[in-house]
Amino acid sequence: MGINRRDFLKLAGLLGLGGKAAFELVLPGEVEAAVAKTQAAGTRWALVVDMRKLTDKVAARCIEACHTLHNVPNYLEPPDPKLALSEDLKNRWQIKWIWTDVYEHAFVGFEQDHQWEKLQGMNFLLLCNHCDNPPCVRVCPTQATYRRPDGIVMMDMHRCIGCRFCMAGCPYAARSFNWRDPRPYIPKINPDYPTREIGVVEKCLLCEERLAQGQQPACVEASGGALIFGNLNEENSPVRAALRAHYTIRRKPYLGTNPQVYYIV
Amino acid sequence: MLEYAFVGTRRYYTLLAVLATLAAVGFLVYLKQLSFGLGITGMSRDVSWGFYIAQFTYLVGVAASAVMVVLPYYLHDYKAFGRVTILGEFLAVAAVTMCLLFIIVDLGRPDRLFNLIKYPTPNSVLFWDMIVLNGYLFLNIICGWLVLEAERNQVPPPKWLKPLILLSIPWAPSIHTVTAFLYAGLPGRGYWLTAIMAPRFLSSAFASGPALLILLALLVRRFTQFDPGREQIQTLAKIVTYAILVNVFFFFCELFTVFYSRIPEHMDHFYYLFYGLQGKGWLVPWMWFSIVGMCIAALLMVSPKIRQNETTLALTCGLIIITTYIDKGLGLISGGFVPNPLHQVNEYMPTVPEILITLGVWATGFLILTILYKVAVSVKEEIRA
Amino acid sequence: MADYKNEFGWFAPKPTVEKKIYNLTAVAVGLGIFLVVFGAPVLLNMGKVHPVPQPSVDTPAIQKLAEKERQCVEPTEWMRANHMQLLWDWREQVVRTGERYYTTSRGKKVLASLSNNCMECHTNKSQFCDQCHNYVAVAPNCWGCHLPKEQNVAKAEGK
């Protein structure tokens, strides 16, 4: 069994060498080769949000597509008016796989007293960032949340014990908990996709069920080009092209989670 | 020895009945929570831990503080504490039991509790917390019970017990350290992201735990034939004094780092707790009461006159218990979650069912504590007689 | 105390104790409650006849299949005994490894999905699944999330 680059770097880090420099020291010239190799081998899904094309209407379409497909309950406007909730409960129970919020909330700490006027009230499309270094995976005590080799931060709803450690760990508020049985609040149940039970956490899974069938995520399909999806490890993928051609920003990159949702502003 | 628990005065049985009733009420409400979901609590998408986890955190501290009577007796051969080690150990047993119960009532899927063991995950702090808490529970049950039994039979305790007792000493701070690591390692939660979290937890634990022990010792003296002893109480009072002073000092260290560096993500939580943020802040008066009360209590404890008078000592200990409880029980969890990562303020307030379940767990803990103390005190009374 | 080795005293003569049952009423009441509580399931179900379950495979989807095609992913006998294990294995396989297909013992590749494969044929959960599950009083929690694709499910679940 050979040692791969990741393990080697870990080992190097343990030995107090750390990082690229150490790597070059021990195995000169190997870095680029190793990187190229992993890149050729695997898939690393990523998403680019083109804010120039993302109007509120498009965003609403994306949210609608996702939430209908995945049986996400609507606590804001329940299908049956008798189930209407108080403002407080709406706020507390809300389940969001993909949602919008303003620049000041999406990019906390980036706001300026005087800034580009188009940012005023610009609604950013937010979802799980499928981090390379996800804190939610780190804290989960049962591996109910785990990272797939293709980068998707996946959830096993059969295993989740509902401790909500991942919600405390996520710095993007991308996770929601089922505080009650969601079924009565699902406008129209899609029988092909499961609903959730009381007491488990849920979030965006990057439509892994659609990817398995060779389809794009539902939000990307509904976005009419505002969302760009693809394999980061593939030189000519649309995401790589978008990232090459534009200046992009990410949410809270300084936390070291390495989020994989990029925004062209 | 357990037979002592079945013989008692009317007052003893009344106390048991009251606690059992509260526990039963809590259990009934818990059944409701099981069927409806955690939506009957005040927790939310933004404040995803609340009252339960707060009690858990506080009680881990109470449990850990047993080491403050065990350590002087076994490591420094401080003979006087021989009389009260059992009170400390049994308090730890009751406190850890409550901790475990609070974790269970906080789970969304308690039916899957054993997934923690089925899929052991060493990179999760919760996994380690499960190990240290259960380990500490067993250590204290075994050590406490066997030492008491040996004392009753007037024989030395079994030899193999000594290593276990010695192990329980470093184990005590470990439970609170691991509990602090639950919070202190999360990116994006500025209030918790501090290396001083575990030391702060320990200092507040070593103040509030022995303070509670002093009150319990005074109660034991008042209502039974067994006197834990004046010297013992005074030594505990000194421990409380140092610990509360260190705790206040740590708090100001925290304030300095946060407010001199002026990093908003760390400051905003303090603003929320002590001034209110975006017009919201129901915890503000509580937090001010907590910190001002804690400072006053620390100053009072420094004065030998107040410390040596058992009435003023009891009152000050009460103040310490309340103020550290507010700091750790109410402020710590809410403060960490508000504002949320998107800098929105969604406040948390426990609901009535949530408080009833909490009371039920406390009652269960005190039921265990009462029974264990009854056994311990009966043994001590018998030896004296 | 002095004469005994210990309180059970195997060296000392046995102390004579009057032969009688103490607290007879309390003991009897306790025993009575015990019998009632533990006997309740037997008592309550006494005399009731439970028909042997007859799971039906008569659904339009199955009828549409040609005679030769009309078989489950594995032989019926095997499925009857092992379907729960198979579903568990599928669950682990699909969720944890992302592999969505299962190769049957006959070498056929099928979609490993409860809702999107099993229930596509067995569109009669109440006449199929529930028949045996109710009879042996098991409540598999699949249906908390996965949808049985049958009309009037709530009524049929027998809850």
Side-chain angles (χ1 to χ4, degrees):
Chain A
M1 226 171 86
I3 184 169
N4 64 25
R5 174 174 173 269
R6 193 182 158 79
D7 286 339
F8 182 84
L9 281 181
K10 268 192 204 159
L11 207 67
L14 272 182
L15 293 171
L17 301 168
K20 189 177 162 175
F23 205 91
E24 300 242 318
L25 204 72
V26 190
L27 290 167
E30 290 276 297
V31 183
E32 278 66 32
V35 172
K37 208 173 135 201
T38 40
Q39 281 185 351
T43 307
R44 206 305 167 209
W45 299 119
L47 197 68
V48 178
V49 182
D50 189 343
M51 289 306 296
R52 298 165 307 176
K53 293 185 188 162
L54 190 98
T55 60
D56 284 357
K57 224 169 153 185
V58 173
R61 264 210 321 265
C62 297
I63 296 169
E64 171 79 16
C66 169
H67 285 192
T68 332
L69 182 66
H70 298 122
N71 291 325
V72 176
N74 187 348
Y75 290 116
L76 300 183
E77 292 159 16
D80 179 357
K82 266 184 276 178
L83 294 171
L85 299 171
S86 68
E87 284 304 314
D88 179 43
L89 285 183
K90 276 182 196 171
N91 200 6
R92 270 163 45 192
W93 291 352
Q94 210 183 344
I95 290 188
K96 307 177 195 173
W97 283 35
I98 178 167
W99 74 104
T100 58
D101 212 328
V102 293
Y103 179 72
E104 292 78 5
H105 290 159
F107 294 88
V108 174
F110 281 69
E111 68 272 21
Q112 296 162 199
D113 288 342
H114 305 283
Q115 64 188 14
W116 186 34
E117 57 187 14
K118 275 192 184 163
L119 276 180
Q120 184 68 36
M122 188 188 271
N123 275 313
F124 283 72
L125 197 59
L126 309 179
L127 67 159
C128 171
N129 281 294
H130 297 278
C131 307
D132 254 356
N133 183 14
C136 55
V137 170
R138 199 156 55 231
V139 300
C140 179
T142 61
Q143 297 149 50
T145 283
Y146 60 97
R147 194 175 166 279
R148 300 204 323 186
D150 61 0
I152 294 182
V153 176
M154 181 65 183
M155 279 211 67
D156 186 348
M157 307 285 181
H158 308 102
R159 200 183 272 196
C160 174
I161 60 170
C163 70
R164 311 190 292 296
F165 206 173
C166 54
M167 297 177 78
C170 177
Y172 306 103
R175 292 179 159 268
S176 309
F177 182 73
N178 284 284
W179 299 102
R180 53 154 298 139
D181 176 22
R183 272 200 185 163
Y185 288 87
I186 302 172
K188 191 173 175 302
I189 291 188
N190 167 17
D192 292 337
Y193 197 84
T195 63
R196 264 73 59 194
E197 280 188 333
I198 294 173
V200 293
V201 175
E202 62 183 82
K203 68 170 194 78
C204 156
L205 303 177
L206 214 55
C207 283
E208 53 87 29
E209 83 284 2
R210 286 171 61 91
L211 295 180
Q213 296 171 5
Q215 291 169 306
Q216 296 229 309
C219 55
V220 177
E221 201 174 86
S223 70
L227 301 191
I228 304 157
F229 176 79
N231 181 359
L232 265 193
N233 288 348
E234 201 183 295
E235 181 85 37
N236 301 317
S237 68
V239 274
R240 281 285 288 274
L243 291 178
R244 249 197 318 271
H246 300 281
Y247 173 70
T248 49
I249 55 173
R250 295 185 292 171
R251 296 174 67 201
K252 304 195 183 180
Y254 54 87
L255 293 178
T257 57
N258 200 358
Q260 293 303 319
V261 176
Y262 300 79
Y263 295 86
I264 303 172
V265 186
Chain B
M1 261 187 328
L2 202 58
E3 65 269 19
Y4 290 117
F6 296 102
V7 210
T9 58
R10 204 185 171 81
R11 197 156 47 196
Y12 167 67
Y13 277 111
T14 319
L15 178 60
L16 288 190
V18 169
L19 291 173
T21 315
L22 279 174
V25 170
F27 183 72
L28 289 178
V29 185
Y30 179 63
L31 290 181
K32 167 85 183 151
Q33 181 184 298
L34 273 184
S35 63
F36 183 84
L38 279 158
I40 65 165
T41 69
M43 288 184 270
S44 63
R45 200 179 180 283
D46 286 332
V47 188
S48 47
W49 284 335
F51 218 41
Y52 301 146
I53 293 296
Q55 316 296 317
F56 154 77
T57 311
Y58 184 76
L59 286 167
V60 174
V62 172
S65 68
V67 76
M68 283 289 134
V69 286
V70 174
L71 186 147
Y73 180 60
Y74 287 104
L75 286 192
H76 298 280
D77 203 21
Y78 178 61
K79 291 274 191 303
F81 267 3
R83 280 171 94 166
V84 289
T85 45
I86 191 66
L87 298 184
E89 284 165 334
F90 280 175
L91 177 61
V93 170
V96 178
T97 311
M98 283 189 263
C99 293
L100 295 173
L101 285 175
F102 274 118
I103 290 280
I104 291 171
V105 298
D106 187 67
L107 286 184
R109 294 303 299 249
D111 54 324
R112 298 183 185 158
L113 175 67
F114 286 99
N115 278 7
L116 280 172
I117 296 160
K118 201 173 162 194
Y119 308 107
T121 311
N123 51 278
S124 173
V125 186
L126 202 56
F127 170 77
W128 294 104
D129 216 27
M130 171 194 72
I131 290 179
V132 291
L133 284 177
N134 281 299
Y136 193 64
L137 178 62
F138 287 117
L139 280 178
N140 274 289
I141 290 179
I142 293 169
C143 299
W145 194 265
L146 287 184
V147 169
L148 188 67
E149 197 161 44
E151 195 177 337
R152 185 185 71 151
N153 297 337
Q154 315 219 338
V155 289
K159 275 226 166 62
W160 54 267
L161 198 60
K162 194 73 193 238
L164 287 188
I165 292 172
L166 293 180
L167 178 64
S168 82
I169 291 171
W171 203 287
S174 89
I175 64 169
H176 219 19
T177 306
V178 173
T179 304
F181 286 176
L182 286 176
Y183 308 102
L186 304 176
R189 303 279 178 192
Y191 189 61
W192 297 336
L193 193 68
T194 161
I196 212 176
M197 182 67 96
R200 264 187 85 189
F201 271 24
L202 286 169
S203 64
S204 97
F206 293 155
S208 59
L212 182 59
L213 208 52
I214 289 175
L215 292 189
L216 289 172
L218 290 173
L219 283 176
V220 165
R221 176 200 282 163
R222 173 120 186 239
F223 291 107
T224 75
Q225 306 294 315
F226 168 59
D227 180 8
R230 187 179 157 77
E231 187 197 333
Q232 285 79 352
I233 289 176
Q234 283 307 313
T235 311
L236 277 175
K238 277 178 208 143
I239 293 173
V240 174
T241 311
Y242 280 112
I244 194 73
L245 283 171
V246 172
N247 192 44
V248 170
F249 168 68
F250 281 167
F251 177 76
F252 284 104
C253 289
E254 195 90 81
L255 280 191
F256 170 78
T257 305
V258 166
F259 283 96
Y260 197 81
S261 68
R262 303 206 76 75
I263 299 173
E265 282 187 25
H266 292 256
M267 259 190 333
D268 289 338
H269 301 278
F270 283 89
Y271 270 128
Y272 166 68
L273 286 175
F274 288 94
Y275 289 99
L277 202 65
Q278 301 173 16
K280 291 177 189 161
W282 74 272
L283 280 168
V284 171
W286 293 84
M287 291 312 290
W288 278 105
F289 171 74
S290 164
I291 191 58
V292 173
M294 211 186 289
C295 293
I296 291 173
L299 289 178
L300 290 176
M301 285 300 274
V302 172
S303 147
K305 250 193 204 144
I306 289 165
R307 209 169 57 228
Q308 279 156 14
N309 177 332
E310 282 183 349
T311 315
T312 48
L313 174 66
L315 288 172
T316 320
C317 283
L319 185 62
I320 287 172
I321 292 170
I322 294 169
T323 52
T324 51
Y325 175 79
I326 295 171
D327 176 36
K328 216 153 146 188
L330 287 173
L332 179 84
I333 307 293
S334 282
F337 280 116
V338 182
N340 76 358
L342 300 177
H343 211 267
Q344 291 150 321
V345 177
N346 288 314
E347 292 195 279
Y348 161 78
M349 198 180 289
T351 59
V352 174
E354 196 173 3
I355 291 171
L356 287 177
I357 293 175
T358 304
L359 270 179
V361 175
W362 276 97
T364 313
F366 273 91
L367 192 70
I368 295 169
L369 186 72
T370 311
I371 291 172
L372 289 176
Y373 269 28
K374 172 72 176 60
V375 170
V377 166
S378 297
V379 168
K380 301 267 183 188
E381 281 174 349
E382 195 185 84
I383 294 168
R384 219 185 56 138
Chain C
M1 282 296 271
D3 290 330
Y4 294 113
K5 170 81 174 156
N6 59 26
E7 62 183 300
F8 303 111
W10 53 66
F11 296 128
K14 238 182 175 168
T16 47
V17 180
E18 197 189 339
K19 279 190 181 165
K20 74 172 240 203
I21 300 176
Y22 292 91
N23 301 328
L24 194 58
T25 353
V27 171
V29 169
L31 265 179
I33 293 173
F34 174 81
L35 285 178
V36 168
V37 169
F38 280 80
V42 179
L43 294 173
L44 288 174
N45 286 303
M46 210 179 276
K48 277 189 199 161
V49 181
H50 292 275
V52 176
Q54 307 227 301
S56 154
V57 287
D58 182 23
T59 66
I62 295 176
Q63 292 299 338
K64 243 193 310 194
L65 293 170
E67 195 75 42
K68 244 176 76 192
E69 296 272 297
R70 213 173 282 167
Q71 51 188 353
C72 201
V73 293
E74 295 290 352
T76 313
E77 283 306 315
W78 191 90
M79 284 305 284
R80 200 170 282 162
N82 298 308
H83 64 281
M84 53 301 253
Q85 189 59 50
L86 183 76
L87 286 171
W88 267 332
D89 291 347
W90 282 10
R91 183 177 98 176
E92 287 294 295
Q93 177 196 320
V94 170
V95 182
R96 308 299 301 189
T97 70
E99 175 52 54
R100 286 176 182 264
Y101 290 92
Y102 167 74
T103 313
T104 68
S105 55
R106 296 189 211 98
K108 208 174 145 197
K109 229 175 154 194
V110 295
L111 187 68
S113 168
L114 172 65
S115 280
N116 296 337
N117 196 355
C118 306
M119 305 317 280
E120 293 289 345
C121 281
H122 298 286
T123 52
N124 56 342
K125 171 174 170 285
S126 54
Q127 297 305 313
F128 185 70
C129 311
D130 296 348
Q131 283 285 315
C132 296
H133 292 163
N134 288 348
Y135 183 71
V136 296
V138 293
N141 60 357
C142 313
W143 315 107
C145 299
H146 297 275
L147 292 136
K149 302 197 168 173
E150 182 189 32
Q151 302 297 316
N152 302 324
V153 181
K155 225 197 286 171
E157 265 185 325
K159 278 183 184 170

